[in-house]
PDB file of all heavy atoms in Angstrom:
ATOM      1  N   SER A  44      10.411 -40.592   5.247  1.00  0.00           N
ATOM      2  CA  SER A  44      10.637 -39.154   5.117  1.00  0.00           C
ATOM      3  C   SER A  44       9.623 -38.545   4.148  1.00  0.00           C
ATOM      4  O   SER A  44       8.992 -37.533   4.446  1.00  0.00           O
ATOM      5  CB  SER A  44      12.070 -38.904   4.587  1.00  0.00           C
ATOM      6  OG  SER A  44      12.205 -37.537   4.220  1.00  0.00           O
ATOM      7  N   ASP A  45       9.450 -39.159   2.999  1.00  0.00           N
ATOM      8  CA  ASP A  45       8.460 -38.616   1.995  1.00  0.00           C
ATOM      9  C   ASP A  45       7.030 -38.794   2.530  1.00  0.00           C
ATOM     10  O   ASP A  45       6.226 -37.899   2.332  1.00  0.00           O
ATOM     11  CB  ASP A  45       8.605 -39.360   0.661  1.00  0.00           C
ATOM     12  CG  ASP A  45       9.837 -38.951  -0.072  1.00  0.00           C
ATOM     13  OD1 ASP A  45      10.398 -37.850   0.264  1.00  0.00           O
ATOM     14  OD2 ASP A  45      10.280 -39.657  -1.018  1.00  0.00           O
ATOM     15  N   LYS A  46       6.773 -39.897   3.240  1.00  0.00           N
ATOM     16  CA  LYS A  46       5.412 -40.085   3.767  1.00  0.00           C
ATOM     17  C   LYS A  46       5.062 -38.997   4.804  1.00  0.00           C
ATOM     18  O   LYS A  46       3.997 -38.446   4.774  1.00  0.00           O
ATOM     19  CB  LYS A  46       5.313 -41.488   4.416  1.00  0.00           C
ATOM     20  CG  LYS A  46       4.975 -42.550   3.440  1.00  0.00           C
ATOM     21  CD  LYS A  46       4.655 -43.821   4.218  1.00  0.00           C
ATOM     22  CE  LYS A  46       4.137 -44.860   3.191  1.00  0.00           C
ATOM     23  NZ  LYS A  46       3.639 -46.070   3.830  1.00  0.00           N
ATOM     24  N   SER A  47       6.022 -38.751   5.681  1.00  0.00           N
ATOM     25  CA  SER A  47       5.715 -37.770   6.732  1.00  0.00           C
ATOM     26  C   SER A  47       5.572 -36.378   6.127  1.00  0.00           C
ATOM     27  O   SER A  47       4.721 -35.567   6.561  1.00  0.00           O
ATOM     28  CB  SER A  47       6.808 -37.774   7.859  1.00  0.00           C
ATOM     29  OG  SER A  47       8.057 -37.425   7.322  1.00  0.00           O
ATOM     30  N   PHE A  48       6.395 -36.066   5.106  1.00  0.00           N
ATOM     31  CA  PHE A  48       6.282 -34.763   4.412  1.00  0.00           C
ATOM     32  C   PHE A  48       4.919 -34.647   3.757  1.00  0.00           C
ATOM     33  O   PHE A  48       4.229 -33.640   3.931  1.00  0.00           O
ATOM     34  CB  PHE A  48       7.380 -34.627   3.378  1.00  0.00           C
ATOM     35  CG  PHE A  48       7.134 -33.441   2.485  1.00  0.00           C
ATOM     36  CD1 PHE A  48       7.357 -32.145   2.932  1.00  0.00           C
ATOM     37  CD2 PHE A  48       6.694 -33.572   1.197  1.00  0.00           C
ATOM     38  CE1 PHE A  48       7.122 -31.067   2.123  1.00  0.00           C
ATOM     39  CE2 PHE A  48       6.420 -32.553   0.381  1.00  0.00           C
ATOM     40  CZ  PHE A  48       6.629 -31.215   0.826  1.00  0.00           C
ATOM     41  N   LEU A  49       4.454 -35.650   3.043  1.00  0.00           N
ATOM     42  CA  LEU A  49       3.195 -35.617   2.355  1.00  0.00           C
ATOM     43  C   LEU A  49       2.031 -35.531   3.397  1.00  0.00           C
ATOM     44  O   LEU A  49       1.009 -34.887   3.108  1.00  0.00           O
ATOM     45  CB  LEU A  49       3.012 -36.788   1.382  1.00  0.00           C
ATOM     46  CG  LEU A  49       3.941 -36.748   0.141  1.00  0.00           C
ATOM     47  CD1 LEU A  49       3.802 -38.029  -0.622  1.00  0.00           C
ATOM     48  CD2 LEU A  49       3.633 -35.526  -0.680  1.00  0.00           C
ATOM     49  N   GLN A  50       2.141 -36.241   4.473  1.00  0.00           N
ATOM     50  CA  GLN A  50       1.123 -36.198   5.514  1.00  0.00           C
ATOM     51  C   GLN A  50       1.026 -34.788   6.085  1.00  0.00           C
ATOM     52  O   GLN A  50      -0.071 -34.270   6.290  1.00  0.00           O
ATOM     53  CB  GLN A  50       1.406 -37.232   6.619  1.00  0.00           C
ATOM     54  CG  GLN A  50       1.113 -38.636   6.219  1.00  0.00           C
ATOM     55  CD  GLN A  50       1.598 -39.610   7.283  1.00  0.00           C
ATOM     56  OE1 GLN A  50       2.440 -39.297   8.110  1.00  0.00           O
ATOM     57  NE2 GLN A  50       1.071 -40.860   7.212  1.00  0.00           N
ATOM     58  N   PHE A  51       2.202 -34.159   6.337  1.00  0.00           N
ATOM     59  CA  PHE A  51       2.183 -32.788   6.848  1.00  0.00           C
ATOM     60  C   PHE A  51       1.510 -31.838   5.846  1.00  0.00           C
ATOM     61  O   PHE A  51       0.686 -31.050   6.215  1.00  0.00           O
ATOM     62  CB  PHE A  51       3.605 -32.327   7.159  1.00  0.00           C
ATOM     63  CG  PHE A  51       3.687 -30.848   7.371  1.00  0.00           C
ATOM     64  CD1 PHE A  51       3.362 -30.323   8.555  1.00  0.00           C
ATOM     65  CD2 PHE A  51       4.099 -30.007   6.339  1.00  0.00           C
ATOM     66  CE1 PHE A  51       3.408 -28.937   8.788  1.00  0.00           C
ATOM     67  CE2 PHE A  51       4.183 -28.665   6.564  1.00  0.00           C
ATOM     68  CZ  PHE A  51       3.829 -28.131   7.818  1.00  0.00           C
ATOM     69  N   PHE A  52       1.883 -32.005   4.580  1.00  0.00           N
ATOM     70  CA  PHE A  52       1.331 -31.150   3.540  1.00  0.00           C
ATOM     71  C   PHE A  52      -0.161 -31.364   3.429  1.00  0.00           C
ATOM     72  O   PHE A  52      -0.965 -30.437   3.313  1.00  0.00           O
ATOM     73  CB  PHE A  52       2.023 -31.496   2.219  1.00  0.00           C
ATOM     74  CG  PHE A  52       2.134 -30.299   1.310  1.00  0.00           C
ATOM     75  CD1 PHE A  52       3.269 -29.494   1.358  1.00  0.00           C
ATOM     76  CD2 PHE A  52       1.099 -29.952   0.421  1.00  0.00           C
ATOM     77  CE1 PHE A  52       3.345 -28.364   0.543  1.00  0.00           C
ATOM     78  CE2 PHE A  52       1.154 -28.901  -0.401  1.00  0.00           C
ATOM     79  CZ  PHE A  52       2.316 -28.076  -0.327  1.00  0.00           C
ATOM     80  N   TYR A  53      -0.596 -32.610   3.532  1.00  0.00           N
ATOM     81  CA  TYR A  53      -2.005 -32.974   3.435  1.00  0.00           C
ATOM     82  C   TYR A  53      -2.800 -32.265   4.592  1.00  0.00           C
ATOM     83  O   TYR A  53      -3.841 -31.652   4.382  1.00  0.00           O
ATOM     84  CB  TYR A  53      -2.198 -34.485   3.533  1.00  0.00           C
ATOM     85  CG  TYR A  53      -3.618 -34.965   3.330  1.00  0.00           C
ATOM     86  CD1 TYR A  53      -4.050 -35.306   2.110  1.00  0.00           C
ATOM     87  CD2 TYR A  53      -4.476 -35.070   4.427  1.00  0.00           C
ATOM     88  CE1 TYR A  53      -5.373 -35.768   1.895  1.00  0.00           C
ATOM     89  CE2 TYR A  53      -5.772 -35.509   4.265  1.00  0.00           C
ATOM     90  CZ  TYR A  53      -6.210 -35.850   2.972  1.00  0.00           C
ATOM     91  OH  TYR A  53      -7.500 -36.270   2.803  1.00  0.00           O
ATOM     92  N   ARG A  54      -2.281 -32.413   5.805  1.00  0.00           N
ATOM     93  CA  ARG A  54      -2.932 -31.798   6.961  1.00  0.00           C
ATOM     94  C   ARG A  54      -2.974 -30.295   6.825  1.00  0.00           C
ATOM     95  O   ARG A  54      -3.979 -29.592   7.181  1.00  0.00           O
ATOM     96  CB  ARG A  54      -2.268 -32.203   8.245  1.00  0.00           C
ATOM     97  CG  ARG A  54      -2.536 -33.637   8.687  1.00  0.00           C
ATOM     98  CD  ARG A  54      -2.099 -33.914  10.108  1.00  0.00           C
ATOM     99  NE  ARG A  54      -0.682 -33.621  10.345  1.00  0.00           N
ATOM    100  CZ  ARG A  54       0.348 -34.471  10.105  1.00  0.00           C
ATOM    101  NH1 ARG A  54       0.058 -35.700   9.660  1.00  0.00           N
ATOM    102  NH2 ARG A  54       1.546 -34.147  10.333  1.00  0.00           N
ATOM    103  N   SER A  55      -1.938 -29.661   6.338  1.00  0.00           N
ATOM    104  CA  SER A  55      -1.899 -28.201   6.144  1.00  0.00           C
ATOM    105  C   SER A  55      -2.990 -27.756   5.172  1.00  0.00           C
ATOM    106  O   SER A  55      -3.678 -26.805   5.450  1.00  0.00           O
ATOM    107  CB  SER A  55      -0.492 -27.734   5.660  1.00  0.00           C
ATOM    108  OG  SER A  55       0.450 -28.066   6.603  1.00  0.00           O
ATOM    109  N   VAL A  56      -3.027 -28.390   4.022  1.00  0.00           N
ATOM    110  CA  VAL A  56      -3.998 -27.981   3.008  1.00  0.00           C
ATOM    111  C   VAL A  56      -5.414 -28.271   3.484  1.00  0.00           C
ATOM    112  O   VAL A  56      -6.369 -27.477   3.248  1.00  0.00           O
ATOM    113  CB  VAL A  56      -3.694 -28.629   1.662  1.00  0.00           C
ATOM    114  CG1 VAL A  56      -4.825 -28.393   0.646  1.00  0.00           C
ATOM    115  CG2 VAL A  56      -2.388 -28.169   1.128  1.00  0.00           C
ATOM    116  N   GLU A  57      -5.585 -29.389   4.163  1.00  0.00           N
ATOM    117  CA  GLU A  57      -6.916 -29.751   4.654  1.00  0.00           C
ATOM    118  C   GLU A  57      -7.411 -28.711   5.669  1.00  0.00           C
ATOM    119  O   GLU A  57      -8.601 -28.369   5.721  1.00  0.00           O
ATOM    120  CB  GLU A  57      -6.888 -31.135   5.265  1.00  0.00           C
ATOM    121  CG  GLU A  57      -8.202 -31.705   5.599  1.00  0.00           C
ATOM    122  CD  GLU A  57      -8.113 -33.138   6.114  1.00  0.00           C
ATOM    123  OE1 GLU A  57      -7.256 -33.388   6.988  1.00  0.00           O
ATOM    124  OE2 GLU A  57      -8.915 -33.973   5.667  1.00  0.00           O
ATOM    125  N   ALA A  58      -6.505 -28.184   6.488  1.00  0.00           N
ATOM    126  CA  ALA A  58      -6.849 -27.190   7.496  1.00  0.00           C
ATOM    127  C   ALA A  58      -6.829 -25.779   6.940  1.00  0.00           C
ATOM    128  O   ALA A  58      -6.955 -24.813   7.672  1.00  0.00           O
ATOM    129  CB  ALA A  58      -5.824 -27.288   8.660  1.00  0.00           C
ATOM    130  N   ARG A  59      -6.665 -25.653   5.632  1.00  0.00           N
ATOM    131  CA  ARG A  59      -6.662 -24.373   4.900  1.00  0.00           C
ATOM    132  C   ARG A  59      -5.493 -23.490   5.344  1.00  0.00           C
ATOM    133  O   ARG A  59      -5.609 -22.276   5.425  1.00  0.00           O
ATOM    134  CB  ARG A  59      -7.999 -23.662   5.057  1.00  0.00           C
ATOM    135  CG  ARG A  59      -9.124 -24.379   4.383  1.00  0.00           C
ATOM    136  CD  ARG A  59     -10.404 -23.630   4.571  1.00  0.00           C
ATOM    137  NE  ARG A  59     -11.458 -24.205   3.732  1.00  0.00           N
ATOM    138  CZ  ARG A  59     -12.327 -25.121   4.190  1.00  0.00           C
ATOM    139  NH1 ARG A  59     -12.209 -25.581   5.429  1.00  0.00           N
ATOM    140  NH2 ARG A  59     -13.262 -25.594   3.415  1.00  0.00           N
ATOM    141  N   GLN A  60      -4.384 -24.103   5.710  1.00  0.00           N
ATOM    142  CA  GLN A  60      -3.169 -23.350   6.072  1.00  0.00           C
ATOM    143  C   GLN A  60      -2.228 -23.491   4.875  1.00  0.00           C
ATOM    144  O   GLN A  60      -2.143 -24.522   4.220  1.00  0.00           O
ATOM    145  CB  GLN A  60      -2.517 -23.922   7.304  1.00  0.00           C
ATOM    146  CG  GLN A  60      -3.382 -23.775   8.534  1.00  0.00           C
ATOM    147  CD  GLN A  60      -2.825 -24.499   9.714  1.00  0.00           C
ATOM    148  OE1 GLN A  60      -1.909 -25.353   9.598  1.00  0.00           O
ATOM    149  NE2 GLN A  60      -3.336 -24.242  10.911  1.00  0.00           N
ATOM    150  N   TRP A  61      -1.512 -22.383   4.563  1.00  0.00           N
ATOM    151  CA  TRP A  61      -0.642 -22.389   3.427  1.00  0.00           C
ATOM    152  C   TRP A  61       0.754 -22.758   3.804  1.00  0.00           C
ATOM    153  O   TRP A  61       1.351 -22.090   4.680  1.00  0.00           O
ATOM    154  CB  TRP A  61      -0.708 -21.015   2.809  1.00  0.00           C
ATOM    155  CG  TRP A  61      -0.424 -21.129   1.323  1.00  0.00           C
ATOM    156  CD1 TRP A  61       0.628 -20.580   0.681  1.00  0.00           C
ATOM    157  CD2 TRP A  61      -1.201 -21.781   0.316  1.00  0.00           C
ATOM    158  NE1 TRP A  61       0.547 -20.870  -0.669  1.00  0.00           N
ATOM    159  CE2 TRP A  61      -0.570 -21.579  -0.880  1.00  0.00           C
ATOM    160  CE3 TRP A  61      -2.357 -22.505   0.347  1.00  0.00           C
ATOM    161  CZ2 TRP A  61      -1.023 -22.122  -2.075  1.00  0.00           C
ATOM    162  CZ3 TRP A  61      -2.864 -23.039  -0.811  1.00  0.00           C
ATOM    163  CH2 TRP A  61      -2.195 -22.827  -2.011  1.00  0.00           C
ATOM    164  N   PRO A  62       1.320 -23.812   3.239  1.00  0.00           N
ATOM    165  CA  PRO A  62       2.707 -24.272   3.582  1.00  0.00           C
ATOM    166  C   PRO A  62       3.701 -23.226   3.122  1.00  0.00           C
ATOM    167  O   PRO A  62       3.459 -22.420   2.224  1.00  0.00           O
ATOM    168  CB  PRO A  62       2.836 -25.579   2.840  1.00  0.00           C
ATOM    169  CG  PRO A  62       1.470 -26.026   2.476  1.00  0.00           C
ATOM    170  CD  PRO A  62       0.700 -24.787   2.374  1.00  0.00           C
ATOM    171  N   SER A  63       4.911 -23.313   3.691  1.00  0.00           N
ATOM    172  CA  SER A  63       5.980 -22.392   3.348  1.00  0.00           C
ATOM    173  C   SER A  63       6.484 -22.648   1.903  1.00  0.00           C
ATOM    174  O   SER A  63       6.232 -23.741   1.324  1.00  0.00           O
ATOM    175  CB  SER A  63       7.159 -22.554   4.292  1.00  0.00           C
ATOM    176  OG  SER A  63       7.755 -23.794   4.106  1.00  0.00           O
ATOM    177  N   SER A  64       7.200 -21.684   1.357  1.00  0.00           N
ATOM    178  CA  SER A  64       7.647 -21.808  -0.027  1.00  0.00           C
ATOM    179  C   SER A  64       8.614 -22.979  -0.206  1.00  0.00           C
ATOM    180  O   SER A  64       8.659 -23.639  -1.231  1.00  0.00           O
ATOM    181  CB  SER A  64       8.315 -20.491  -0.489  1.00  0.00           C
ATOM    182  OG  SER A  64       9.397 -20.195   0.316  1.00  0.00           O
ATOM    183  N   GLY A  65       9.415 -23.280   0.807  1.00  0.00           N
ATOM    184  CA  GLY A  65      10.353 -24.405   0.764  1.00  0.00           C
ATOM    185  C   GLY A  65       9.617 -25.734   0.580  1.00  0.00           C
ATOM    186  O   GLY A  65       9.973 -26.591  -0.147  1.00  0.00           O
ATOM    187  N   LYS A  66       8.502 -25.840   1.353  1.00  0.00           N
ATOM    188  CA  LYS A  66       7.702 -27.093   1.264  1.00  0.00           C
ATOM    189  C   LYS A  66       7.000 -27.160  -0.061  1.00  0.00           C
ATOM    190  O   LYS A  66       6.852 -28.238  -0.638  1.00  0.00           O
ATOM    191  CB  LYS A  66       6.722 -27.123   2.444  1.00  0.00           C
ATOM    192  CG  LYS A  66       7.441 -27.362   3.775  1.00  0.00           C
ATOM    193  CD  LYS A  66       6.466 -27.491   4.893  1.00  0.00           C
ATOM    194  CE  LYS A  66       7.015 -27.865   6.217  1.00  0.00           C
ATOM    195  NZ  LYS A  66       8.360 -27.412   6.544  1.00  0.00           N
ATOM    196  N   VAL A  67       6.591 -26.053  -0.610  1.00  0.00           N
ATOM    197  CA  VAL A  67       5.958 -26.008  -1.912  1.00  0.00           C
ATOM    198  C   VAL A  67       6.939 -26.495  -2.985  1.00  0.00           C
ATOM    199  O   VAL A  67       6.568 -27.249  -3.879  1.00  0.00           O
ATOM    200  CB  VAL A  67       5.374 -24.622  -2.246  1.00  0.00           C
ATOM    201  CG1 VAL A  67       4.919 -24.520  -3.683  1.00  0.00           C
ATOM    202  CG2 VAL A  67       4.213 -24.297  -1.265  1.00  0.00           C
ATOM    203  N   LYS A  68       8.213 -26.004  -2.891  1.00  0.00           N
ATOM    204  CA  LYS A  68       9.234 -26.424  -3.880  1.00  0.00           C
ATOM    205  C   LYS A  68       9.488 -27.930  -3.774  1.00  0.00           C
ATOM    206  O   LYS A  68       9.637 -28.576  -4.769  1.00  0.00           O
ATOM    207  CB  LYS A  68      10.523 -25.661  -3.633  1.00  0.00           C
ATOM    208  CG  LYS A  68      10.434 -24.212  -4.084  1.00  0.00           C
ATOM    209  CD  LYS A  68      11.732 -23.520  -3.817  1.00  0.00           C
ATOM    210  CE  LYS A  68      11.644 -22.003  -4.137  1.00  0.00           C
ATOM    211  NZ  LYS A  68      12.795 -21.281  -3.783  1.00  0.00           N
ATOM    212  N   ARG A  69       9.520 -28.448  -2.559  1.00  0.00           N
ATOM    213  CA  ARG A  69       9.754 -29.871  -2.392  1.00  0.00           C
ATOM    214  C   ARG A  69       8.594 -30.641  -2.969  1.00  0.00           C
ATOM    215  O   ARG A  69       8.764 -31.741  -3.544  1.00  0.00           O
ATOM    216  CB  ARG A  69       9.957 -30.223  -0.908  1.00  0.00           C
ATOM    217  CG  ARG A  69      10.235 -31.676  -0.697  1.00  0.00           C
ATOM    218  CD  ARG A  69      10.643 -32.012   0.716  1.00  0.00           C
ATOM    219  NE  ARG A  69      10.779 -33.453   0.846  1.00  0.00           N
ATOM    220  CZ  ARG A  69      10.703 -34.054   2.015  1.00  0.00           C
ATOM    221  NH1 ARG A  69      10.646 -33.396   3.147  1.00  0.00           N
ATOM    222  NH2 ARG A  69      10.851 -35.373   2.069  1.00  0.00           N
ATOM    223  N   LEU A  70       7.388 -30.163  -2.818  1.00  0.00           N
ATOM    224  CA  LEU A  70       6.226 -30.820  -3.415  1.00  0.00           C
ATOM    225  C   LEU A  70       6.326 -30.923  -4.902  1.00  0.00           C
ATOM    226  O   LEU A  70       5.945 -31.930  -5.511  1.00  0.00           O
ATOM    227  CB  LEU A  70       4.938 -30.107  -3.009  1.00  0.00           C
ATOM    228  CG  LEU A  70       3.641 -30.746  -3.518  1.00  0.00           C
ATOM    229  CD1 LEU A  70       3.366 -32.028  -2.728  1.00  0.00           C
ATOM    230  CD2 LEU A  70       2.466 -29.798  -3.340  1.00  0.00           C
ATOM    231  N   ALA A  71       6.885 -29.892  -5.546  1.00  0.00           N
ATOM    232  CA  ALA A  71       7.001 -29.881  -7.005  1.00  0.00           C
ATOM    233  C   ALA A  71       7.919 -31.039  -7.469  1.00  0.00           C
ATOM    234  O   ALA A  71       7.763 -31.530  -8.593  1.00  0.00           O
ATOM    235  CB  ALA A  71       7.568 -28.593  -7.493  1.00  0.00           C
TER     236      ALA A  71
END
Side-chain angles (χ1 to χ4, degrees):
S44 171
D45 286 343
K46 274 189 174 188
S47 63
F48 169 74
L49 290 173
Q50 285 172 340
F51 167 79
F52 212 92
Y53 185 92
R54 285 191 305 273
S55 297
V56 173
E57 191 175 45
R59 294 182 173 91
Q60 297 172 346
W61 208 244
S63 68
S64 60
K66 289 184 176 30
V67 170
K68 286 179 185 175
R69 182 172 174 199
L70 182 71

